[in-house]
Amino acid sequence: MRLKISLNIENGTFSRPNKHAVQGFIYSMLKDSEYGERHDEPRFKFFTFSDFFIDKRGRPTFLVSSPDPDFIRALYSAIRKRETVYIGKEEYGISELKKFRLPLRKAFQTGSPVVLYRNASKNEYFKLHQHRDLLFFLERLKENAEKKYSAFYGEEFTLDGQIFDRVIPKVRPNGKIDVYVRVVKNGVPFPVIGSNWELLEKEHIKPEERKFYRFIMDVGLGEKNSLGFGFLNPIGR
């Protein structure tokens, strides 16, 4: 399930909020709900959010998605009670708030970079342009998705074959694929490295795999989902 949040800009200028500020906004909206302790729970958070984009009406907009519809409903209920909200230190009006579902497709694009660790103990991110190991990338994506699925549903699941059969990365103007996102937490900046994708496609999703692919469509790919990474948009092909 998804939630679209479009903002009003009072002074006519918009500076994209830091991802940690957006995460903090989401947690603050949920503090009086059953999800109020989610931030401190030592578990997968089971939500993600997209990068900001400007919609057709010129409004700064972002999407929040989760496989847990009650999470989206709780967030929707909290925000709809307010005319304005703070994201970081900036105050914004709420122009549009809409919860919705999307049909499952066999192809996806990323709405925020996909992040994976090459070596988590050394805080080393996987860099596709540098490491040039697509098989590692796909295997790690699959392993991470299976773990999150099992944790969410309480049932084991092993996907047969690769998680995607066809992948096309989004190449930056400098010819590189990897993107460096500056995240600021408690005033301290740190880089998060990921990659954006024009296409992530599974040629045939079997009936018994539909639940899995719907899950990853809503929970996000890779790591650091609750910090706004790995957001997926289904696309028709």
Side-chain angles (χ1 to χ4, degrees):
M1 196 170 190
R2 298 180 175 222
L3 181 63
K4 176 185 179 183
I5 305 171
S6 296
L7 306 177
N8 280 324
I9 306 302
E10 302 297 333
N11 59 10
T13 62
F14 176 68
S15 178
R16 295 176 187 271
N18 185 273
K19 281 188 172 293
H20 191 259
V22 180
Q23 183 194 58
F25 157 71
I26 293 172
Y27 284 136
S28 69
M29 291 295 99
L30 294 169
K31 66 180 180 180
D32 295 324
S33 75
E34 62 182 293
Y35 299 93
E37 303 299 321
R38 178 60 57 91
H39 179 266
D40 298 318
E41 293 173 350
R43 51 178 287 188
F44 294 119
K45 311 306 183 187
F46 301 118
F47 76 90
T48 189
F49 56 90
S50 71
D51 289 343
F52 272 86
F53 59 93
I54 304 301
D55 72 2
K56 294 180 181 179
R57 296 176 59 183
R59 303 172 301 188
T61 300
F62 69 104
L63 305 171
V64 183
S65 68
S66 174
D68 182 354
D70 288 336
F71 179 94
I72 296 297
R73 293 188 187 106
L75 185 59
Y76 172 84
S77 296
I79 299 174
R80 71 190 297 262
K81 297 175 183 177
R82 300 167 179 262
E83 293 184 0
T84 63
V85 296
Y86 278 91
I87 302 180
K89 296 181 180 180
E90 298 296 325
E91 185 178 17
Y92 302 97
I94 299 297
S95 177
E96 182 182 4
L97 193 65
K98 179 183 178 181
K99 58 181 185 294
F100 61 100
R101 297 179 187 272
L102 291 176
L104 177 64
R105 306 284 188 181
K106 67 176 184 178
F108 308 89
Q109 286 179 341
T110 54
S112 63
V114 176
V115 173
L116 289 172
Y117 280 113
R118 182 177 175 86
N119 189 324
S121 63
K122 295 181 179 180
N123 200 36
E124 179 188 5
Y125 291 106
F126 174 76
K127 307 177 187 69
L128 190 64
H129 189 85
Q130 175 183 331
H131 297 127
R132 299 181 180 275
D133 191 344
L134 187 58
L135 183 60
F136 175 92
F137 176 80
L138 292 172
E139 286 294 332
R140 185 60 62 88
L141 276 187
K142 176 181 173 180
E143 175 186 290
N144 176 271
E146 290 171 341
K147 285 181 179 179
K148 284 186 292 195
Y149 180 96
S150 297
F152 185 78
Y153 287 110
E155 60 186 56
E156 293 298 320
F157 177 84
T158 301
L159 182 69
D160 184 24
Q162 294 287 359
I163 189 170
F164 298 114
D165 300 314
R166 186 177 182 216
V167 297
I168 302 175
K170 185 175 183 179
V171 181
R172 297 165 60 199
N174 62 6
K176 294 186 178 181
I177 299 169
D178 303 307
V179 293
Y180 290 68
V181 180
R182 184 175 181 267
V183 178
V184 180
K185 182 177 181 179
N186 299 324
V188 179
F190 61 93
V192 176
I193 304 168
S195 54
N196 280 309
W197 295 81
E198 297 283 356
L199 178 67
L200 297 165
E201 183 177 25
K202 182 71 172 179
E203 292 182 355
H204 177 66
I205 298 177
K206 301 174 184 176
E208 63 270 21
E209 296 171 344
R210 291 181 62 83
K211 184 178 175 181
F212 173 78
Y213 279 95
R214 182 172 294 281
F215 172 77
I216 65 171
M217 182 178 79
D218 287 334
V219 81
L221 276 180
E223 303 178 69
K224 297 189 180 295
N225 299 138
S226 68
L227 198 52
F229 291 98
F231 189 93
L232 285 181
N233 287 311
I235 57 174
R237 280 180 60 81

